[in-house]
Amino acid sequence: MDNWIAHQIILLIFLMFPLSIALWNSVTYRHLGDYRVMPRTPKVSVLVPARNEEGNIEQCIGSLLEQEYPDFQVIALDDNSTDGTWRVLEKLAARNDRLTLVKGKPLPKGWLGKHWACHQLALIATGELLLFTDADTCHKPQALRHAVSALLSEDAGLLSVLPHQQVRSWAERLAIPVVWWSIFSFLPLALAYRLKAPCLSFANGQFMLFSRHSYELIGGHAAVKNTVVDDLALVRNIKSANLRWRILDGKNYVRCRMYRNFRQVVDGLSKNLFAAFDYNIPVYVFIWLWLGLVFIEPPAVILSAFLGFGTSSFSTVVAWSTIAVSLFLWMLSYRQFHFPLWQVLLYPITISFFILIALRSMAVTLSGKRLWKERTI
């Protein structure tokens, strides 16, 4: 067996690992709504930081105010917006006294914007539970009750939810599914809950429900004030404190549209990707180059054979086998998170686009040119 064939077989064997994890997660991954509704209903402070969210905030706050839960407050903080966010919030507050509005204080040195906003919200909140949720989310009326029941049933310090991700532009369609695919295929949740390794943890800042005791015990957002990927940092702090955490499929109760165009997709992911790998250049470069080999090389081998460039028949068989496994792996994730299944066929283009964003993330971070919502990070 020559080195080329051996290399292709290694790619095929490697795919068995994420495939096994995805199949395991398909069985063990729990949904918001799976838990018995608990009779205890502790007060929940629903906390919404908003910066330049004029187009999203009314839908988000409106859905939160309609929650079928007996004891909750909604606090929205305008984080020095330059658009009409505050005007929309004032109109909403005039119609519902459950909504409290806060004008965010100027960003102090050493803090990142959203973390400072969340910290201010937590200081004002009076609930026994704290739900941090983004201004671009929308919640069904039963979402809060089910989330509280899940947190109490699991006796968890943190419950995070993966909403249904709305993707409309082509940039969204290509990039956003990769984030959920990577979690579903490389993080064995049942094992992650039991092991202390920080790398085996994940939370989604779009929906994070804490018990106040747990949030304060880990130092809240003040403990991660200059950490770009605050949701990962917070769940790792929860884990380090020996507190329980859970992440649930919330697509039936919460939806979110993170980005709305090519520029937002590229800038948003560039802000977070390199930071999520703790700025480790060798590991980061290796992972993305390796994923490029795994998912781009086999289709390239088939194309080469089709064009008559002398690829051996056995090499072609291995490449087709790798493509078949890849399609199944991507299909498991797309089906789980309700992305259009026909997009699975585009996975070589999808991963190529995402790798380019990943490399850009490293480049803009190292150059100090990361921007998000008109702020330099």
Side-chain angles (χ1 to χ4, degrees), residues 254-340:
V254 187
R255 70 177 188 270
C256 177
R257 189 178 181 193
M258 281 192 287
Y259 311 119
R260 294 180 177 273
N261 54 51
F262 178 86
R263 173 53 58 190
Q264 288 184 8
V265 169
V266 172
D267 286 348
L269 292 174
S270 294
K271 172 176 69 77
N272 292 330
L273 277 174
F274 190 39
F277 288 82
D278 293 327
Y279 310 104
N280 189 318
I281 296 176
V283 170
Y284 189 76
V285 171
F286 171 78
I287 286 174
W288 293 112
L289 290 180
W290 177 251
L291 290 178
L293 285 175
V294 171
F295 295 111
I296 299 171
E297 182 181 297
V301 170
I302 298 303
L303 179 62
S304 176
F306 178 77
L307 296 175
F309 289 142
T311 304
S312 71
S313 58
F314 186 70
S315 179
T316 302
V317 169
V318 176
W320 275 119
S321 300
T322 305
I323 290 171
V325 175
S326 297
L327 286 169
F328 185 54
L329 174 63
W330 286 83
M331 183 273 294
L332 288 172
S333 172
Y334 277 52
R335 184 186 64 177
Q336 180 69 48
F337 297 108
H338 285 189
F339 294 117

XYZ file of all heavy atoms in Angstrom, residues 254-340:
721
model
N -37.130 28.474 21.185
C -36.358 29.710 21.026
C -35.776 29.732 19.625
O -35.302 28.695 19.127
C -35.211 29.806 22.062
C -34.538 31.182 21.981
C -35.714 29.538 23.478
N -35.811 30.900 19.011
C -35.156 31.029 17.705
C -34.283 32.276 17.710
O -34.479 33.201 18.510
C -36.173 31.086 16.570
C -37.011 32.340 16.489
C -37.924 32.298 15.263
N -38.621 33.558 15.042
C -39.794 33.878 15.542
N -40.427 32.998 16.314
N -40.352 35.053 15.282
N -33.322 32.292 16.808
C -32.368 33.390 16.772
C -31.859 33.564 15.342
O -31.663 32.581 14.619
C -31.196 33.099 17.717
S -29.895 34.348 17.694
N -31.681 34.803 14.964
C -30.958 35.090 13.720
C -29.757 35.943 14.096
O -29.864 37.145 14.283
C -31.845 35.798 12.704
C -31.157 35.895 11.341
C -32.013 36.545 10.284
N -31.288 36.579 9.021
C -31.661 37.302 7.970
N -32.780 38.025 8.028
N -30.942 37.298 6.858
N -28.618 35.294 14.221
C -27.413 35.955 14.713
C -26.950 37.082 13.800
O -26.598 38.170 14.258
C -26.278 34.938 14.855
C -26.334 34.076 16.075
S -24.787 33.175 16.321
C -24.905 31.940 15.022
N -26.877 36.782 12.506
C -26.344 37.730 11.538
C -27.307 37.829 10.358
O -28.100 36.918 10.111
C -24.963 37.272 11.057
C -24.021 36.889 12.169
C -23.498 35.596 12.272
C -23.653 37.813 13.145
C -22.638 35.244 13.298
C -22.805 37.465 14.180
C -22.298 36.174 14.249
O -21.459 35.831 15.280
N -27.196 38.921 9.600
C -28.158 39.166 8.531
C -27.530 39.386 7.161
O -28.249 39.523 6.176
C -29.032 40.367 8.896
C -29.908 40.088 10.099
C -30.776 41.254 10.484
N -31.636 40.882 11.602
C -32.822 40.308 11.481
N -33.308 40.046 10.284
N -33.537 39.993 12.543
N -26.210 39.401 7.088
C -25.567 39.595 5.794
C -24.138 39.080 5.853
O -23.653 38.662 6.912
C -25.611 41.071 5.375
C -25.029 42.002 6.437
O -23.928 41.799 6.932
N -25.800 43.019 6.803
N -23.478 39.134 4.734
C -22.121 38.599 4.615
C -21.178 39.270 5.607
O -20.407 38.602 6.297
C -21.622 38.799 3.182
C -20.220 38.326 2.945
C -19.966 37.002 2.621
C -19.151 39.209 3.057
C -18.664 36.561 2.410
C -17.852 38.774 2.850
C -17.608 37.450 2.515
N -21.219 40.599 5.688
C -20.294 41.323 6.562
C -20.499 40.944 8.018
O -19.526 40.727 8.749
C -20.496 42.833 6.358
C -19.719 43.723 7.311
C -18.229 43.385 7.328
N -17.629 43.482 6.017
C -16.408 43.057 5.720
N -15.675 42.466 6.657
N -15.933 43.183 4.500
N -21.744 40.859 8.466
C -21.992 40.477 9.854
C -21.518 39.056 10.144
O -20.973 38.789 11.216
C -23.479 40.617 10.176
C -23.965 42.042 10.278
C -25.424 42.136 10.696
O -26.051 41.139 11.047
N -25.982 43.330 10.650
N -21.744 38.133 9.214
C -21.295 36.754 9.403
C -19.782 36.705 9.565
O -19.245 36.100 10.510
C -21.731 35.873 8.214
C -21.029 34.513 8.266
C -23.239 35.677 8.217
N -19.074 37.359 8.655
C -17.611 37.313 8.674
C -17.057 38.017 9.915
O -16.187 37.481 10.613
C -17.045 37.933 7.385
C -15.522 38.074 7.481
C -17.412 37.076 6.177
N -17.565 39.202 10.219
C -17.056 39.936 11.383
C -17.415 39.247 12.695
O -16.593 39.179 13.619
C -17.627 41.359 11.391
C -16.993 42.256 10.334
O -15.971 41.851 9.748
O -17.528 43.355 10.087
N -18.650 38.722 12.788
C -19.069 38.075 14.030
C -18.266 36.826 14.334
O -17.802 36.630 15.461
N -18.079 35.985 13.327
C -17.309 34.766 13.552
C -15.827 35.064 13.708
O -15.123 34.392 14.474
C -17.547 33.788 12.396
C -18.967 33.207 12.330
C -19.145 32.365 11.080
C -19.283 32.378 13.565
N -15.329 36.067 13.000
C -13.921 36.448 13.148
C -13.626 36.918 14.569
O -12.528 36.728 15.089
C -13.558 37.551 12.151
O -13.628 37.090 10.817
N -14.619 37.536 15.195
C -14.442 38.004 16.571
C -14.200 36.846 17.534
O -13.401 36.960 18.474
C -15.689 38.793 16.995
C -15.745 39.183 18.461
C -16.952 40.027 18.777
C -18.252 39.252 18.678
N -18.477 38.383 19.856
N -14.866 35.716 17.303
C -14.899 34.652 18.311
C -14.013 33.443 18.034
O -13.568 32.782 18.978
C -16.342 34.149 18.475
C -17.243 35.186 19.110
O -16.803 36.004 19.906
N -18.520 35.162 18.758
N -13.796 33.099 16.780
C -13.226 31.788 16.473
C -11.835 31.584 17.071
O -11.582 30.593 17.766
C -13.186 31.577 14.960
C -14.481 31.084 14.321
C -14.357 31.063 12.801
C -14.844 29.707 14.842
N -10.924 32.490 16.785
C -9.558 32.319 17.284
C -9.541 32.361 18.805
O -8.826 31.585 19.461
C -8.659 33.405 16.686
C -7.188 33.205 16.926
C -6.612 31.952 16.866
C -6.372 34.297 17.202
C -5.242 31.769 17.084
C -5.013 34.133 17.421
C -4.446 32.873 17.366
N -10.363 33.230 19.383
C -10.437 33.326 20.843
C -10.932 32.029 21.466
O -10.513 31.648 22.565
C -11.350 34.482 21.234
N -11.853 31.323 20.769
C -12.391 30.068 21.302
C -11.321 29.000 21.442
O -11.490 28.044 22.221
C -13.525 29.568 20.414
N -10.220 29.142 20.716
C -9.107 28.187 20.808
C -7.976 28.748 21.669
O -6.836 28.286 21.561
C -8.591 27.855 19.407
C -9.521 26.981 18.605
C -10.608 27.531 17.937
C -9.321 25.613 18.512
C -11.476 26.740 17.201
C -10.175 24.812 17.773
C -11.260 25.379 17.115
N -8.304 29.739 22.500
C -7.334 30.334 23.425
C -6.104 30.874 22.707
O -4.989 30.863 23.261
C -6.918 29.325 24.501
C -8.064 28.978 25.434
O -8.901 29.863 25.696
O -8.138 27.818 25.880
N -6.277 31.312 21.471
C -5.221 31.959 20.691
C -3.989 31.067 20.494
O -2.867 31.567 20.332
C -4.802 33.284 21.351
C -5.968 34.178 21.676
C -6.428 34.311 22.990
C -6.627 34.889 20.681
C -7.506 35.129 23.302
C -7.719 35.707 20.982
C -8.150 35.823 22.292
O -9.216 36.621 22.583
N -4.212 29.764 20.490
C -3.110 28.802 20.306
C -2.879 28.613 18.810
O -3.601 27.849 18.152
C -3.454 27.478 20.986
C -2.285 26.520 21.026
O -1.554 26.380 20.056
N -2.114 25.854 22.156
N -1.888 29.278 18.259
C -1.691 29.295 16.808
C -1.422 27.899 16.245
O -2.065 27.494 15.266
C -0.569 30.275 16.423
C -0.986 31.703 16.794
C -0.256 30.190 14.926
C 0.101 32.745 16.551
N -0.463 27.113 16.779
C -0.206 25.797 16.186
C -1.428 24.883 16.182
O -1.727 24.246 15.174
C 0.927 25.221 17.054
C 1.580 26.409 17.662
C 0.484 27.405 17.881
N -2.129 24.817 17.304
C -3.323 23.966 17.380
C -4.392 24.457 16.429
O -5.024 23.677 15.705
C -3.864 23.922 18.833
C -5.231 23.245 18.883
C -2.869 23.200 19.741
N -4.593 25.745 16.403
C -5.633 26.355 15.572
C -5.381 26.077 14.090
O -6.278 25.633 13.369
C -5.653 27.846 15.839
C -6.799 28.618 15.222
C -8.074 28.559 15.762
C -6.590 29.446 14.127
C -9.118 29.293 15.235
C -7.626 30.194 13.586
C -8.888 30.108 14.138
O -9.920 30.845 13.604
N -4.163 26.333 13.649
C -3.830 26.125 12.229
C -3.940 24.650 11.873
O -4.486 24.287 10.821
C -2.421 26.665 11.929
C -1.979 26.265 10.520
C -2.390 28.188 12.072
N -3.446 23.780 12.755
C -3.508 22.343 12.467
C -4.948 21.867 12.326
O -5.276 21.122 11.394
C -2.811 21.544 13.574
C -3.026 20.058 13.456
C -2.312 19.311 12.531
C -3.977 19.410 14.239
C -2.523 17.943 12.396
C -4.197 18.048 14.115
C -3.468 17.312 13.187
N -5.806 22.271 13.250
C -7.198 21.798 13.224
C -7.883 22.185 11.923
O -8.537 21.358 11.275
C -7.967 22.352 14.439
C -7.541 21.616 15.711
C -9.491 22.219 14.234
C -8.127 22.179 16.981
N -7.753 23.439 11.503
C -8.461 23.871 10.304
C -7.857 23.301 9.030
O -8.585 22.956 8.091
C -8.537 25.396 10.258
C -9.408 25.927 11.350
C -9.044 26.651 12.442
C -10.825 25.710 11.483
N -10.120 26.907 13.243
C -11.232 26.346 12.686
C -11.776 25.050 10.717
C -12.559 26.337 13.117
C -13.101 25.047 11.149
C -13.467 25.685 12.331
N -6.531 23.131 9.010
C -5.925 22.488 7.844
C -6.314 21.017 7.780
O -6.570 20.471 6.692
C -4.400 22.648 7.892
C -3.866 24.059 7.646
C -2.337 24.059 7.723
C -4.335 24.603 6.299
N -6.384 20.372 8.923
C -6.772 18.963 8.951
C -8.220 18.783 8.506
O -8.523 17.890 7.701
C -6.579 18.401 10.357
C -7.034 16.968 10.498
C -8.118 16.514 11.174
C -6.427 15.811 9.917
N -8.226 15.155 11.067
C -7.204 14.696 10.307
C -5.293 15.615 9.127
C -6.883 13.393 9.911
C -4.978 14.312 8.730
C -5.768 13.229 9.126
N -9.103 19.621 8.998
C -10.499 19.528 8.564
C -10.625 19.807 7.068
O -11.477 19.216 6.386
C -11.367 20.504 9.362
C -11.590 20.150 10.841
C -12.419 21.222 11.525
C -12.260 18.782 10.988
N -9.781 20.683 6.560
C -9.774 20.916 5.120
C -9.398 19.663 4.352
O -10.025 19.317 3.337
N -8.379 18.950 4.816
C -7.991 17.691 4.176
C -9.120 16.667 4.235
O -9.442 16.011 3.242
C -6.744 17.116 4.857
C -5.405 17.773 4.551
C -4.316 17.140 5.408
C -5.055 17.627 3.076
N -9.717 16.536 5.407
C -10.737 15.504 5.603
C -11.942 15.716 4.691
O -12.466 14.760 4.099
C -11.188 15.481 7.088
C -12.404 14.575 7.273
C -10.039 15.005 7.975
N -12.382 16.953 4.558
C -13.647 17.201 3.861
C -13.510 17.768 2.447
O -14.487 17.753 1.692
C -14.520 18.137 4.701
C -14.955 17.530 6.004
C -14.469 18.000 7.207
C -15.839 16.459 6.021
C -14.858 17.434 8.406
C -16.239 15.878 7.217
C -15.752 16.371 8.415
N -12.331 18.221 2.084
C -12.148 18.780 0.741
C -11.368 17.836 -0.161
O -11.644 17.729 -1.360
C -11.447 20.156 0.820
C -12.294 21.132 1.630
C -11.193 20.714 -0.579
C -11.592 22.450 1.939
N -10.403 17.120 0.418
C -9.558 16.251 -0.413
C -10.333 15.136 -1.119
O -10.140 14.932 -2.334
C -8.429 15.655 0.424
C -7.476 14.777 -0.382
C -6.385 14.182 0.480
O -5.595 14.971 1.032
O -6.347 12.940 0.596
N -11.220 14.385 -0.435
C -11.917 13.296 -1.142
C -12.722 13.771 -2.358
O -12.633 13.148 -3.427
C -12.807 12.685 -0.049
C -12.062 12.962 1.211
C -11.481 14.318 1.026
N -13.518 14.859 -2.258
C -14.175 15.338 -3.477
C -13.179 15.742 -4.559
O -13.452 15.561 -5.758
C -14.986 16.549 -2.991
C -15.219 16.287 -1.553
C -13.983 15.606 -1.073
N -12.018 16.262 -4.155
C -10.993 16.628 -5.131
C -10.444 15.384 -5.836
O -10.149 15.418 -7.042
C -9.863 17.391 -4.453
N -10.320 14.290 -5.097
C -9.863 13.031 -5.700
C -10.863 12.541 -6.740
O -10.493 12.117 -7.851
C -9.648 11.958 -4.608
C -9.416 10.576 -5.238
C -8.475 12.341 -3.717
N -12.151 12.613 -6.423
C -13.185 12.190 -7.372
C -13.175 13.088 -8.606
O -13.295 12.612 -9.743
C -14.566 12.214 -6.690
C -14.598 11.226 -5.517
C -15.665 11.894 -7.691
C -14.273 9.805 -5.886
N -13.026 14.381 -8.388
C -12.956 15.313 -9.527
C -11.750 15.007 -10.390
O -11.840 15.028 -11.632
C -12.899 16.749 -9.004
C -12.797 17.844 -10.076
C -14.024 17.824 -10.984
C -12.635 19.215 -9.423
N -10.628 14.692 -9.748
C -9.418 14.350 -10.492
C -9.631 13.108 -11.350
O -9.219 13.057 -12.512
C -8.257 14.129 -9.511
O -7.100 13.710 -10.181
N -10.302 12.104 -10.768
C -10.577 10.877 -11.533
C -11.513 11.169 -12.703
O -11.325 10.648 -13.811
C -11.197 9.823 -10.611
N -12.505 12.003 -12.454
C -13.462 12.356 -13.513
C -12.769 13.072 -14.662
O -13.111 12.889 -15.845
C -14.560 13.241 -12.918
C -15.574 13.708 -13.919
C -16.571 12.853 -14.382
C -15.526 15.005 -14.420
C -17.506 13.281 -15.317
C -16.457 15.442 -15.344
C -17.446 14.573 -15.798
N -11.760 13.882 -14.348
C -11.028 14.624 -15.380
C -9.917 13.802 -16.019
O -9.214 14.285 -16.917
C -10.441 15.909 -14.779
C -11.468 16.933 -14.274
C -10.771 18.107 -13.599
C -12.348 17.424 -15.421
N -9.760 12.542 -15.545
C -8.805 11.636 -16.176
C -7.367 11.849 -15.793
O -6.461 11.646 -16.606
N -7.124 12.230 -14.524
C -5.757 12.487 -14.093
C -5.081 11.274 -13.457
O -4.159 11.395 -12.678
C -5.723 13.661 -13.106
C -5.993 14.980 -13.748
C -6.735 15.939 -13.086
C -5.508 15.267 -15.017
C -6.986 17.170 -13.675
C -5.749 16.494 -15.613
C -6.499 17.450 -14.943
N -5.566 10.097 -13.737
C -4.846 8.884 -13.381
C -4.999 8.419 -11.950
O -4.136 7.707 -11.443
N -6.066 8.777 -11.283
C -6.304 8.285 -9.932
C -6.644 6.802 -9.976
O -7.443 6.361 -10.809
C -7.466 9.063 -9.278
O -7.152 10.453 -9.304
C -7.681 8.625 -7.850
N -6.050 6.014 -9.058
C -6.288 4.573 -9.059
C -7.728 4.265 -8.662
O -8.390 5.057 -7.985
C -5.326 3.881 -8.096
O -5.666 4.171 -6.751
N -8.197 3.094 -9.076
C -9.575 2.703 -8.767
C -9.762 2.529 -7.266
O -10.822 2.887 -6.721
C -9.933 1.398 -9.496
O -9.030 0.369 -9.136
N -8.761 1.995 -6.569
C -8.888 1.820 -5.124
C -8.945 3.170 -4.409
O -9.723 3.366 -3.472
C -7.711 0.996 -4.582
C -7.846 0.645 -3.123
C -8.796 -0.274 -2.705
C -7.042 1.244 -2.166
C -8.941 -0.591 -1.365
C -7.169 0.935 -0.824
C -8.124 0.004 -0.424
N -8.127 4.109 -4.868
C -8.147 5.451 -4.305
C -9.526 6.090 -4.487
O -10.042 6.754 -3.585
C -7.079 6.319 -4.962
O -7.110 7.627 -4.451
N -10.136 5.845 -5.635
C -11.465 6.390 -5.900
C -12.506 5.775 -4.971
O -13.389 6.466 -4.453
C -11.855 6.138 -7.362
O -10.877 6.727 -8.224
C -13.222 6.727 -7.672
N -12.393 4.464 -4.729
C -13.320 3.781 -3.829
C -13.207 4.348 -2.412
O -14.223 4.609 -1.743
C -13.058 2.258 -3.829
C -13.823 1.584 -2.693
C -13.439 1.654 -5.160
N -11.982 4.548 -1.951
C -11.777 5.107 -0.608
C -12.349 6.524 -0.535
O -13.006 6.901 0.447
C -10.279 5.104 -0.236
C -10.078 5.789 1.122
C -9.744 3.686 -0.184
N -12.133 7.316 -1.586
C -12.642 8.684 -1.603
C -14.163 8.697 -1.556
O -14.771 9.492 -0.811
C -12.138 9.419 -2.836
N -14.812 7.829 -2.347
C -16.273 7.767 -2.310
C -16.776 7.336 -0.932
O -17.796 7.826 -0.442
C -16.799 6.809 -3.376
C -16.958 7.416 -4.738
C -16.344 7.045 -5.893
C -17.821 8.510 -5.089
N -16.741 7.832 -6.942
C -17.659 8.746 -6.476
C -18.695 9.322 -4.378
C -18.338 9.748 -7.148
C -19.377 10.326 -5.041
C -19.212 10.531 -6.406
N -16.058 6.391 -0.313
C -16.443 5.943 1.031
C -16.345 7.092 2.035
O -17.237 7.274 2.893
C -15.547 4.787 1.478
O -15.658 3.690 0.599
N -15.285 7.874 1.930
C -15.104 9.016 2.830
C -16.196 10.055 2.609
O -16.735 10.634 3.570
C -13.720 9.649 2.612
O -12.707 8.644 2.764
C -13.472 10.767 3.608
N -16.548 10.284 1.365
C -17.621 11.231 1.058
C -18.951 10.743 1.626
O -19.732 11.528 2.196
C -17.723 11.441 -0.466
C -16.500 12.216 -0.971
C -19.011 12.165 -0.840
C -16.394 12.289 -2.477
N -19.218 9.459 1.514
C -20.470 8.905 2.037
C -20.563 9.090 3.549
O -21.618 9.492 4.080
C -20.573 7.426 1.673
N -19.462 8.805 4.251
C -19.454 8.985 5.705
C -19.608 10.463 6.056
O -20.337 10.830 6.991
C -18.161 8.416 6.317
C -18.089 8.722 7.815
C -18.083 6.912 6.091
N -18.940 11.324 5.291
C -19.039 12.766 5.538
C -20.470 13.254 5.367
O -20.980 14.038 6.190
C -18.106 13.530 4.590
O -16.758 13.192 4.809
N -21.118 12.820 4.321
C -22.502 13.224 4.083
C -23.404 12.789 5.239
O -24.269 13.555 5.694
C -23.007 12.631 2.771
C -22.476 13.267 1.484
C -22.845 12.406 0.280
C -23.036 14.676 1.301
N -23.193 11.568 5.718
C -24.007 11.075 6.828
C -23.741 11.874 8.097
O -24.665 12.233 8.840
C -23.724 9.595 7.054
C -24.594 8.956 8.095
C -25.982 9.032 8.022
C -24.033 8.274 9.161
C -26.788 8.446 8.984
C -24.826 7.681 10.135
C -26.209 7.775 10.037
N -22.471 12.188 8.347
C -22.102 12.971 9.529
C -22.752 14.351 9.496
O -23.347 14.796 10.487
C -20.577 13.112 9.594
C -20.016 14.029 10.681
C -20.367 13.501 12.063
C -18.505 14.176 10.530
N -22.661 15.037 8.376
C -23.257 16.361 8.259
C -24.785 16.273 8.326
O -25.443 17.143 8.895
C -22.806 17.039 6.973
C -21.383 17.518 7.020
C -20.253 16.784 6.788
C -20.922 18.830 7.344
N -19.129 17.552 6.948
C -19.512 18.816 7.279
C -21.565 20.021 7.662
C -18.737 19.952 7.537
C -20.793 21.150 7.917
C -19.399 21.111 7.846
N -25.342 15.211 7.766
C -26.790 15.055 7.785
C -27.320 14.909 9.204
O -28.379 15.456 9.548
C -27.186 13.832 6.957
C -28.694 13.606 6.835
S -29.398 12.638 8.211
C -28.609 11.059 7.918
N -26.594 14.203 10.066
C -27.032 14.036 11.454
C -27.198 15.386 12.146
O -28.178 15.632 12.849
C -26.017 13.178 12.218
C -25.977 11.686 11.895
C -24.798 11.029 12.599
C -27.277 11.013 12.316
N -26.234 16.269 11.930
C -26.283 17.587 12.554
C -27.373 18.457 11.931
O -28.140 19.120 12.641
C -24.915 18.270 12.416
O -24.977 19.611 12.836
N -27.456 18.470 10.612
C -28.448 19.317 9.944
C -29.874 18.890 10.309
O -30.753 19.728 10.480
C -28.246 19.265 8.427
C -27.170 20.209 7.925
C -25.886 20.197 8.484
C -27.412 21.103 6.899
C -24.902 21.037 8.038
C -26.423 21.967 6.438
C -25.166 21.928 7.014
O -24.190 22.781 6.573
N -30.084 17.591 10.427
C -31.401 17.109 10.824
C -31.703 17.496 12.273
O -32.824 17.908 12.590
C -31.479 15.590 10.666
C -32.857 15.010 10.968
C -32.845 13.507 10.928
N -31.979 12.953 11.968
C -31.821 11.652 12.195
N -32.433 10.762 11.434
N -31.032 11.228 13.151
N -30.708 17.372 13.136
C -30.906 17.686 14.549
C -31.293 19.144 14.749
O -32.160 19.475 15.569
C -29.615 17.383 15.324
C -29.680 17.668 16.812
C -30.606 16.719 17.548
O -30.541 15.516 17.364
N -31.479 17.268 18.379
N -30.663 20.039 13.996
C -30.857 21.469 14.218
C -31.755 22.123 13.166
O -31.838 23.344 13.093
C -29.499 22.171 14.285
C -28.654 21.707 15.438
C -27.532 20.914 15.226
C -29.005 22.021 16.737
C -26.754 20.474 16.283
C -28.243 21.579 17.807
C -27.116 20.798 17.580
N -32.415 21.299 12.368
C -33.418 21.775 11.408
C -32.844 22.723 10.357
O -33.488 23.695 9.967
C -34.589 22.432 12.126
C -35.516 21.439 12.781
N -36.731 21.807 13.328
C -35.414 20.103 12.963
C -37.319 20.732 13.838
N -36.531 19.692 13.619
N -31.623 22.439 9.897
C -31.120 23.120 8.717
C -31.576 22.328 7.487
O -31.749 21.098 7.570
C -29.593 23.199 8.743
C -29.047 24.059 9.852
C -28.246 23.512 10.843
C -29.339 25.415 9.906
C -27.745 24.304 11.872
C -28.845 26.211 10.934
C -28.047 25.650 11.917
N -31.779 22.986 6.343
C -32.234 22.262 5.148
C -31.277 21.124 4.778
O -30.074 21.341 4.615
C -32.243 23.348 4.069
C -32.402 24.631 4.822
C -31.659 24.435 6.115
